[in-house]
Amino acid sequence: MSDFTFFMTLFITSAVFGITMGAYFCTMEYRIRENLPLVTSDCICPSCGHRLALYQQIPIFGFFLLRGKCRYCSTPIPIRYPLTESVFLIYYTLTYCIFHRSMPVFITLWYFMIILSLMRVKHNKHYHQLFRSLLIVTTYHAVIGLLYAIIYLAVYGSLFLKR
């Protein structure tokens, strides 16, 4: 595998992981605030309660596909959702681009980004929800970190690439 192919593969993976973490952060924030379960099989419109189709849940693109409104009740979707997802996308890909030679560094920076973001959530008295969300996010980052470590070790034999 060439260095460019390796870089681009993990760049795209980082972008997908970043946008996914941004979308999940928005979901966690809302569910913590409303004291709802953090993990469910259904995503619903907060206004009308209608279950959203899979294509409507695609981070950033779903917002534009729906033209910023719920398909069923026409309630506007807050712009903060695609903006938050975009910030996570940019942060995760930029961090990977800058620190791609040191896998433990960018994985740690990714983890701290979402932890700091979660700490800013207005959680009132829902500390158990916040703790659960921290466990979920930690698990996601541990799994992606392990996958990246396996890839780095398989391709280069080290978690730190030579310059």
Side-chain angles (χ1 to χ4, degrees):
M1 177 184 288
S2 74
D3 285 343
F4 179 75
T5 305
F6 178 79
F7 178 85
M8 288 309 296
T9 301
L10 293 185
F11 175 82
I12 292 167
T13 306
S14 299
V16 169
F17 187 62
I19 202 168
T20 302
M21 282 288 93
Y24 191 63
F25 172 78
C26 292
T27 301
M28 284 189 302
E29 178 188 32
Y30 172 75
R31 291 180 178 177
I32 289 170
R33 208 172 350 103
E34 299 296 321
N35 199 24
L36 298 170
L38 290 174
V39 179
T40 64
S41 60
D42 296 334
C43 286
I44 60 168
C45 170
S47 296
C48 67
H50 199 286
R51 185 173 183 219
L52 301 177
L54 188 59
Y55 76 91
Q56 297 167 335
Q57 300 174 44
I58 300 170
I60 299 173
F61 301 110
F63 179 84
F64 292 108
L65 288 172
L66 294 170
R67 297 188 181 124
K69 296 180 182 174
C70 173
R71 179 177 173 209
Y72 307 100
C73 68
S74 298
T75 301
I77 300 169
I79 190 73
R80 68 184 164 88
Y81 292 121
L83 289 178
T84 302
E85 293 163 357
S86 298
V87 166
F88 273 84
L89 167 72
I90 292 166
Y91 179 80
Y92 276 54
T93 53
L94 190 61
T95 306
Y96 173 74
C97 287
I98 294 170
F99 297 106
H100 72 277
R101 295 189 177 278
S102 178
M103 189 275 303
V105 173
F106 70 79
I107 295 290
T108 302
L109 290 172
W110 290 355
Y111 181 68
F112 283 131
M113 163 72 166
I114 199 157
I115 294 299
L116 291 174
S117 299
L118 276 172
M119 291 300 161
R120 295 181 47 92
V121 172
K122 305 260 189 283
H123 49 75
N124 298 327
K125 297 177 179 145
H126 307 300
Y127 294 107
H128 64 284
Q129 289 285 69
L130 184 62
F131 181 71
R132 282 187 197 144
S133 63
L134 290 173
L135 287 176
I136 292 167
V137 166
T138 300
T139 303
Y140 286 156
H141 283 81
V143 168
I144 197 77
L146 182 62
L147 290 173
Y148 273 56
I150 291 168
I151 293 168
Y152 268 66
L153 290 171
V155 173
Y156 292 105
S158 173
L159 298 180
F160 301 92
L161 303 182
K162 296 179 177 93
R163 298 211 177 246

